[in-house]
Amino acid sequence: MADAYVTTPDDVPGPMPGVLFIVDAIGLRPQTKAMADRIASWGYVVLAPNVFYRDGTAPTLEPVGDLTEPENRATFKSEAMSRVKALTNDLAERDLSVYIDTLRGRDDVRHSDIGVTGYCMGGRLALLAAATRPDAVGAIGMFHTGGLVTDNPDSPHRLLPRIRADVLAIHADQDRSLPPEAVAEFEHALTSCGVSHSAWVHEGAHHGFTMADTAAYHPAAAEEHFERLDELFTRTLR
């Protein structure tokens, strides 16, 4: 059973829309909880599950070193990638459906469309959530998401015909996991599939630009992501 973090605004009467927050490869930790708190303050119930629960609880998987030091971030990333690779689409689809039903089943959550926001590999999972549960997911945010276009049959961009959610995708021009040609192909897939979307590349940003506890943090890009995500959820979930 997955452990999770749930956060709600203090001064907003329920029920209110729900948001599923999908963490990056580093996992559920103080930084991602703080981000979930900020989104909740806009008037949402936010559920942030420990997607790596098969490997341990969130506290036991938290990084020990200071990830604002590039060498520490690189070391932890190499450790975390084994967990990322083990979370296959087959496993993730089942998990995501449970997370969605758990969120929508809360008394303080409106039984209507939810939003999903995902970071790094969490962006791919956000897209998978929208494809797995088009009945429930009305909007997704995807930020510094790598590997969106591959030659594999299960490439994330091939999920787009299955979704009905509006998509917000902000990429980074220094992200080696999503080169310019992949950005262009993902944009083409969004357009050709008729997906309502807004997508662009933030100049000078690296993979992981939203995460203030890492060396990749880019304050301007991080603030832009919050502003645009707020706009997306206000337009689609209210």
Side-chain angles (χ1 to χ4, degrees):
M1 180 179 297
D3 50 319
Y5 179 68
V6 178
T7 178
T8 62
D10 295 329
D11 56 352
V12 179
M16 63 196 81
V19 170
L20 180 63
F21 184 108
I22 307 182
V23 297
D24 60 356
I26 301 172
L28 183 60
R29 61 196 191 282
Q31 168 62 26
T32 45
K33 290 178 181 178
M35 294 169 70
D37 287 340
R38 181 165 173 177
I39 294 169
S41 73
W42 304 337
Y44 302 96
V45 176
V46 181
L47 172 66
N50 169 25
V51 299
F52 303 120
Y53 68 90
R54 293 177 180 85
D55 299 288
T57 63
T60 64
L61 298 177
E62 280 186 21
V64 176
D66 180 3
L67 298 184
T68 61
E69 296 292 336
E71 62 273 18
N72 291 341
R73 180 172 179 262
T75 298
F76 184 81
K77 182 179 178 181
S78 65
E79 298 172 357
M81 287 312 296
S82 61
R83 294 194 288 269
V84 173
K85 292 176 181 178
L87 187 58
T88 63
N89 280 2
D90 287 343
L91 292 176
E93 282 185 11
R94 296 196 294 270
D95 290 346
L96 290 166
S97 193
V98 171
Y99 301 150
I100 290 169
D101 287 339
T102 299
L103 176 61
R104 296 178 87 209
R106 289 177 57 92
D107 292 339
D108 54 358
V109 173
R110 187 185 305 162
H111 194 74
S112 59
D113 281 351
I114 67 162
V116 184
T117 184
Y119 304 85
C120 176
M121 61 92 197
R124 296 195 301 272
L125 292 181
L127 185 56
L128 183 61
T132 302
R133 292 294 302 274
D135 62 301
V137 179
I140 62 172
M142 307 169 62
F143 306 102
H144 48 81
T145 304
L148 285 173
V149 177
T150 73
D151 294 330
N152 298 329
D154 62 350
S155 175
H157 79 289
R158 302 186 194 281
L159 295 170
L160 290 172
R162 294 167 48 189
I163 77 169
R164 67 172 180 84
D166 280 31
V167 173
L168 168 65
I170 304 181
H171 314 297
D173 70 342
Q174 304 297 310
D175 190 346
R176 290 179 294 179
S177 67
L178 196 72
E181 58 270 22
V183 172
E185 189 167 348
F186 187 66
E187 171 68 24
H188 175 73
L190 285 164
T191 302
S192 61
C193 290
V195 176
S196 177
H197 70 279
S198 179
W200 67 93
V201 178
H202 200 291
E203 294 184 3
H206 292 262
H207 182 78
F209 62 76
T210 61
M211 300 297 165
D213 61 345
T214 77
Y217 182 53
H218 189 298
E223 285 304 306
E224 179 184 54
H225 123 268
F226 279 121
E227 292 171 7
R228 303 308 182 194
L229 187 64
D230 189 6
E231 292 171 359
L232 171 70
F233 287 165
T234 297
R235 176 169 53 83
T236 57
L237 304 182
R238 294 296 185 182

